[in-house]
Amino acid sequence: MRDTRRLRLPRLSIRLLPGLLAALLLPLGRPPPAGAPAAPRHATAAADPVRIMPLGDSITGSPGCWRALLWNRLQDAGHTGVDFVGTLPPQGCGIAHDGDNEGHGGELVTNVASQGLLPARLAATRPDIVVMHLGTNDVWSNIAPDRILAAYDTLLAQMRESNPDIRVLVAQLIPMNPATCAACAQRVVDLNARIPAWAAGAHTSRSPVVVVDQWTGFDTATDTYDGVHPDASGDEKIAARWFPALAAQLGSTPGDPGDPGDPTLTCTASFRSVSVWQGGYQAEVTVRNTSAAPVRGWTVTLRPADGARVTQVWNGALKSAADGTATVADAGWNGALAPGASTAFGLIATTTAGPAAPAATADCAATPAS
């Protein structure tokens, strides 16, 4: 995507304190001047901050104002021991924040992988956590999901070579509907449907891979200014989706100062086709608790591709909507999941599509154990 974003001041609910702004302008490594108030120590502050790399394209970096909102959410919630890192400097947004990032306008993830661009960036920044929204330009270029996910494999291997304990938050991409690409909207859906299964296969206990659903609830008509790049409303939604998943990776999780309706992203759901026949298919969805705490229940929102409709579910409770969205809750006996534990439910779907492999976008919300 062309890096044509205009600089703008996002609509913010954050009030900047003069003392905070002054502290941010101090040169790194120097003590505050005599008489300046000492910065408070919060729950996740530490001598060695957690290094977080925002990785992506122009949605992340030009100017990527969701990063400013996310950084301030973390600060306001007490997660002050963090350092956003990247080889690119801040790019505006009109609000004080740690603006270092790795959001290169126009980049394709397939090019980043094939040209070996990431290792030098990792060596220069040494991230502990990567927050990745990458692949929109590949979708625009009509690159197949298989190639995009193969590039994800390459990048993840490079991340783990740099840091075997690295943690990766990977986004299901925000929708796109540019005037010059009528097919792009469905291409995003098709890629997003594949990401949970990819993440489940890539996840390890030492180097977890967590899917964050940035697609659901995002409207290109109201949350972008060109069908692709987020406006102020879109930036707020993106930050709200990243926050709980990122906070969960930071250990103790103070209260979110943001909206009470923010999603609880403590589990993932991965879709797998089991068998296909004319007019339908059978599939399985694996639900995994990716948080550090047990959960006592889960709900999966499933959006089958190509107009398919879920008609039957076992090991779960099904509720279908008129638009084809299926909501599946746990069956009671399989709702409680320890950290890292998983369960699965099966389904039957009908479809009028051809022989293409079944696919679906699945996101998961879990109820923490009290």
Side-chain angles (χ1 to χ4, degrees), residues 67-292:
R67 292 182 288 104
L69 295 172
L70 178 59
W71 188 83
N72 278 282
R73 274 179 178 256
L74 292 170
Q75 298 298 300
D76 291 346
H79 294 293
T80 57
V82 297
D83 179 14
F84 279 18
V85 298
T87 60
L88 298 178
Q91 294 156 306
C93 294
I95 175 175
H97 68 289
D98 186 348
D100 297 330
N101 71 95
E102 212 64 68
H104 296 257
E107 276 199 338
L108 284 69
V109 66
T110 47
N111 288 347
V112 175
S114 64
Q115 297 172 17
L117 300 178
L118 186 60
R121 300 170 183 175
L122 293 167
T125 57
R126 300 176 293 105
D128 302 299
I129 300 174
V130 172
V131 174
M132 185 174 82
H133 185 288
L134 189 54
T136 300
N137 289 305
D138 303 80
V139 169
W140 199 330
S141 301
N142 198 20
I143 294 175
D146 283 345
R147 287 184 58 196
I148 297 173
L149 295 176
Y152 281 12
D153 283 332
T154 299
L155 266 57
L156 181 59
Q158 292 168 347
M159 293 174 195
R160 286 172 171 166
E161 179 69 21
S162 170
N163 177 3
D165 300 304
I166 201 162
R167 290 160 281 168
V168 181
L169 306 185
V170 59
Q172 289 176 293
L173 304 180
I174 63 172
M176 62 183 298
N177 190 26
T180 56
C181 183
C184 280
Q186 183 59 47
R187 291 177 196 163
V188 173
V189 172
D190 293 342
L191 173 61
N192 281 346
R194 300 278 301 278
I195 289 176
W198 171 83
H203 178 92
T204 69
S205 58
R206 181 173 182 179
S207 175
V209 178
V210 178
V211 177
V212 177
D213 179 9
Q214 291 286 358
W215 192 91
T216 302
F218 196 100
D219 187 344
T220 56
T222 58
D223 299 326
T224 73
Y225 61 81
D226 60 358
V228 180
H229 298 91
D231 57 18
S233 171
D235 284 327
E236 289 174 352
K237 288 185 177 181
I238 293 172
R241 286 298 175 99
W242 283 128
F243 176 85
L246 183 53
Q249 295 299 318
L250 296 174
S252 60
T253 307
D256 179 1
D259 301 329
D262 287 347
T264 302
L265 300 176
T266 56
C267 59
T268 59
S270 56
F271 176 93
R272 179 179 70 88
S273 174
V274 175
S275 60
V276 183
W277 55 86
Q278 186 66 36
Y281 61 81
Q282 178 183 338
E284 181 181 76
V285 176
T286 299
V287 179
R288 183 180 302 277
N289 177 10
T290 55
S291 68

